[in-house]
Amino acid sequence: MMLFSRAVRSGAVRRVVASSSIRQKSTGPPIPAGVLTSWYNIFGKSSAMYASWLVAGILVSETITGWGTDAIWNAANSGRTYDSVDWSKFVVEDDDEDEDEDDDDEDEEEGEEEEDDDDDE
């Protein structure tokens, strides 16, 4: 504590703080002044126009970000997602016997329906 009070009295701390707070001279914005002035005249003067600028910027940014992340995801998971699987590899050839049994079952069901119709009359 004693060293700190001596440093304050000697002004060492004041010089360090003062030298670190000196601002550097700006060379100007990277965007030309005319463009900034036009943007301000269109969007900056009105709160409603500024809000619409923000909404439009957010929508465009989200669209680009969403497209980019989807592209990266699809590239990383190619062949593993539902959309990218070649479903023709999984086609199962049914036996003719199975189809014949299904046809027989349908015929029997139709026959039962006709009998029920006859009973109603």
Side-chain angles (χ1 to χ4, degrees), residues 73-87 89-90:
W73 178 267
N74 289 334
N77 294 305
S78 180
R80 297 181 197 157
T81 60
Y82 184 81
D83 293 334
S84 63
V85 171
D86 183 14
W87 293 105
K89 294 178 182 178
F90 300 102

Side-chain angles (χ1 to χ4, degrees), residues 31-45:
I31 302 172
V35 173
L36 292 176
T37 302
S38 297
W39 181 90
Y40 179 77
N41 288 334
I42 296 169
F43 298 108
K45 286 186 176 180

Side-chain angles (χ1 to χ4, degrees), residues 61-83:
S61 299
E62 284 293 324
T63 301
I64 292 170
T65 303
W67 176 83
T69 54
D70 284 347
I72 292 169
W73 178 267
N74 289 334
N77 294 305
S78 180
R80 297 181 197 157
T81 60
Y82 184 81
D83 293 334

